[in-house]
Amino acid sequence: MTLNISYALNKKVTNIRAIHVVNRYQNKGVLYVEPYSAVKNFGGTSGSAVLKFQYEKPGDENSTLHVYFDLEGGGSFEIQMNIPINGIYADSKFNIPDSVFKKSVKDSEVITF
């Protein structure tokens, strides 16, 4: 998953952190997934970040992404959103000719607040 963030606030952002708490299907546990790549562009009270996540296992609709904005002078705020992780499991019994799969119905989302 690629998360593109852009912001304009009344305080300077010093860091953006994120963790995706993935509730595995059929109650098989919880995974805590952090971005494997983060490109951050901070500039005064506006900026952007691109965070990339990779998932080993799928997660249900209650899987929650937490994004934290750390502010200059202390303090922070958090944004949460539920994002399921689609997945497929196959072993040698299945013949999958290529890795092209259908995208989910809602493949992209813009959140403004």
Side-chain angles (χ1 to χ4, degrees):
M1 173 178 78
T2 300
L3 177 63
N4 293 294
I5 298 170
S6 60
Y7 62 88
L9 301 169
N10 60 0
K11 287 194 172 188
K12 185 176 179 180
V13 173
T14 59
N15 195 22
I16 297 175
R17 302 172 285 122
I19 188 162
H20 200 161
V21 180
V22 178
N23 296 314
R24 294 192 52 211
Y25 286 105
Q26 300 173 341
N27 298 317
K28 291 186 178 178
V30 176
L31 298 174
Y32 298 91
V33 181
E34 295 182 13
Y36 72 87
S37 171
V39 177
K40 302 171 186 177
N41 179 19
F42 303 123
T45 58
S46 64
S48 63
V50 177
L51 308 176
K52 294 186 178 189
F53 296 81
Q54 189 168 334
Y55 302 92
E56 294 180 18
K57 305 286 183 183
D60 67 19
E61 64 278 355
N62 294 315
S63 297
T64 305
L65 177 66
H66 302 263
V67 181
Y68 303 92
F69 291 77
D70 297 327
L71 304 174
E72 185 176 61
S76 65
F77 68 91
E78 174 187 7
I79 298 171
Q80 295 181 15
M81 59 201 93
N82 290 344
I83 301 175
I85 304 301
N86 293 333
I88 185 168
Y89 173 79
D91 60 24
S92 60
K93 294 186 281 186
F94 297 98
N95 180 17
I96 299 177
D98 57 56
S99 60
V100 177
F101 302 102
K102 293 181 180 178
K103 292 182 177 181
S104 61
V105 175
K106 193 171 230 181
D107 188 52
S108 180
E109 178 71 27
V110 175
I111 299 170
T112 304
F113 60 94

